[in-house]
Amino acid sequence: MSIDTDLVDSFMPPGKRIQQTENEAGLIVWTCEVSVDGKDVFRISHDNWEPGWSTRRFAVRHAYVKPVHEAADKSYVYSENGAVATVRCTDQGGDRDLFLVAKANENTAGAKGMEKFIVAYRDEFLKSDPCTDL
């Protein structure tokens, strides 16, 4: 996916070597871990989950993200160091929903930077029509 580098730079500490590691556990979970000079600094994941879970509930119970702020439509929550957005595949006839999770160990952009990232990431993720495989 193509995400504006300005949205990601605020999560990266100074360093010489950036490494990205992707892991996929079937259709259930996909993760991408980013490290700088061997230190984990940022993680993105998406989880295929049973329907009926609110974004806030998933954030607390499974993503370990504290939902300090919530979008008016409740489609995403975010805080200084984490964010969760929901893609409702059940609204499109699927039997599962997707939860997108972003977590940062360092964040110079604050909660607003995390919000901008999760919204941009969700918008880009939706372009791939992710619910067709569920």
Side-chain angles (χ1 to χ4, degrees):
M1 285 188 273
S2 177
I3 299 291
D4 185 358
T5 57
D6 289 343
L7 296 174
V8 180
D9 285 347
S10 61
F11 305 122
M12 302 296 148
K16 295 182 180 183
R17 184 169 181 247
I18 296 175
Q19 184 174 350
Q20 176 179 313
T21 306
E22 292 184 43
N23 297 303
E24 189 168 350
L27 292 174
I28 303 297
V29 178
W30 172 89
T31 62
C32 178
E33 309 239 4
V34 178
S35 62
V36 175
D37 296 338
K39 179 182 173 189
D40 292 338
V41 295
F42 191 64
R43 178 179 185 199
I44 307 165
S45 65
H46 50 84
D47 297 323
N48 170 340
W49 203 255
E50 62 191 59
W53 282 65
S54 71
T55 307
R56 178 177 288 279
R57 181 178 175 208
F58 186 88
V60 172
R61 292 273 185 96
H62 294 285
Y64 307 107
V65 170
K66 186 176 180 180
V68 175
H69 308 282
E70 185 170 36
D73 66 0
K74 301 183 188 263
S75 66
Y76 65 90
V77 296
Y78 62 99
S79 64
E80 182 80 16
N81 295 329
V84 176
T86 306
V87 175
R88 295 284 177 206
C89 294
T90 51
D91 290 349
Q92 300 173 35
D95 62 353
R96 309 286 278 179
D97 287 327
L98 290 168
F99 289 90
L100 310 177
V101 180
K103 294 175 87 172
N105 294 343
E106 298 190 26
N107 183 354
T108 59
K112 282 295 179 190
M114 187 58 76
E115 179 186 26
K116 287 178 184 177
F117 176 83
I118 200 66
V119 169
Y121 182 72
R122 180 191 60 193
D123 291 350
E124 190 66 23
F125 184 79
L126 287 169
K127 290 178 184 177
S128 70
D129 199 17
C131 295
T132 58
D133 294 332
L134 298 181

